[in-house]
Amino acid sequence: MLEHAQTQQLNQIAKRLVEPGKGILAADESNATIEKRLAKINVPSTEENRRSYREMLFTTKGIREYISGVILYEETIMQSTHVGVTFVKTLEDAGVMAGIKIDQGTKEMEGSANEKVTKGLDGLADRLKKFQALGAKFAKWRAVITIGQGLPTRSNIVQNAKDLAQYALVCQQVGVVPIVEPEVLMDGAHDMARCEEVSQQVLEAVFEQMAAAGVALEGMILKTNMVVPGKESGQKATSAEIAEATLRLFESELPPTLPGQAFLSGGQSEVEATANLNEMAKRGPFAWNLSFSYGRALQDSALKTWAGKPENVAAAQKGLLHRAKMNSLATLGKYSDAAEQKAE
Ligand code: 13P
């Protein structure tokens, strides 16, 4: 059990991360993932290109109004701006907290080759302490659940939930707020009802394992998917339908002591991710704050505009700031087409 004061400290950070009007920028793409993103703009994934892309994101003026924290990858948390200020200090000076992607990616699950479990429990406490010393106030661990023929298996759900709980406990013991990310993938031909059913099983298992491990729910953030139809299902759902299904799920599974749930975008477009969050926030308030922790849905436009060219930095930053602002409005249920169209 954590001391009361420790839990309080974690709770303060967790609440700041999901404060109304604010959310998290997930800029923690692994080198394999950022390589794919950079390939789309024909920029080779060299260390310098990855660094200058992240510098563009993190030096966006005014970002603190909408962004509470940024999740960094291991390489990125060690990097600095071109004038030699570490990214962590750059963010701190801008009033934004730094976090670390602490999981080490996924691997095939033993006995179920088409399912994944997440790596990174070995030596976790020491790695967390190292990144905490570099300034990380929170961490992220992503578990992926695949829907398919006969999938997910019960054992995959339970294994991922157990690993998430173990990770969250170690984070809290070290004094770092865990972002607990069970992601039910959008890939597949399943319908929306199937996504809801699987997401429900996953969240139920996650909170069961959190309780069994003794994780303080006040000192963590959930980062999970919305209830949406599979990408290859041919089904289209409106924002209202997505909001209703997702909230039905959350009302049944999210404990009221949880400070917040910050959505991943998971392959939704920028505008979809914003509009869907807005539909949910409009139906609030809830016991937990609803916020965002988007990767692609915050960066897509900025990445395209940047295109690897220094002369595009200001325009790309404008794009990022606009998305951050739209999502900030969405956490308040105040996003609109008019706001979307309005130039900064
Ligand atoms: P997306 O919003 O692009 O899904 O990324 C969020 C994230 O951090 C996935 O782990």
Side-chain angles (χ1 to χ4, degrees), residues 25-29 37 71 101 103 140-142 181 183 223 263-268 293-300:
L25 167 63
D28 62 328
E29 298 83 2
R37 307 273 188 269
I71 319 176
K101 169 186 170 70
D103 70 68
K140 181 191 102 171
W141 177 287
R142 174 172 178 257
E181 182 179 11
E183 174 174 4
K223 169 168 177 167
F263 287 102
L264 56 94
S265 56
Q268 296 181 34
S293 175
Y294 293 153
R296 285 162 286 180
L298 276 169
Q299 295 179 52
D300 279 355

Side-chain angles (χ1 to χ4, degrees), residues 28 51 119 122 136 152 253 255 287 300 328:
D28 62 328
R51 193 205 62 74
K119 299 180 286 186
D122 287 345
E253 299 305 328
D300 279 355
S328 162

Side-chain angles (χ1 to χ4, degrees), residues 130-186:
K130 177 178 114 183
F131 294 118
Q132 185 181 42
L134 289 170
K137 301 276 186 290
F138 61 100
K140 181 191 102 171
W141 177 287
R142 174 172 178 257
V144 298
I145 307 287
T146 309
I147 300 183
Q149 197 63 260
L151 303 182
T153 60
R154 182 72 201 152
S155 53
N156 183 256
I157 292 178
V158 173
Q159 188 61 53
N160 275 308
K162 280 190 172 161
D163 292 349
L164 280 167
Q166 185 57 36
Y167 141 79
L169 185 69
V170 176
C171 281
Q172 291 190 335
Q173 286 165 343
V174 169
V176 166
V177 170
I179 297 195
V180 170
E181 182 179 11
E183 174 174 4
V184 176
L185 295 175
M186 260 169 90

Side-chain angles (χ1 to χ4, degrees), residues 51 55 79-87 89-90:
R51 193 205 62 74
E55 175 168 353
Q79 288 175 325
S80 302
T81 62
H82 71 287
V83 290
V85 183
T86 66
F87 283 156
K89 181 156 180 359
T90 303

Side-chain angles (χ1 to χ4, degrees), residues 13-28:
I13 295 171
K15 284 202 308 211
R16 273 176 60 200
L17 284 171
V18 293
E19 177 183 319
K22 290 200 181 174
I24 300 165
L25 167 63
D28 62 328

Side-chain angles (χ1 to χ4, degrees), residues 200-218:
Q200 198 249 326
Q201 291 165 359
V202 168
L203 293 182
E204 186 177 27
V206 164
F207 287 107
E208 246 170 52
Q209 295 300 332
M210 294 289 155
V215 172
L217 299 177
E218 313 91 290

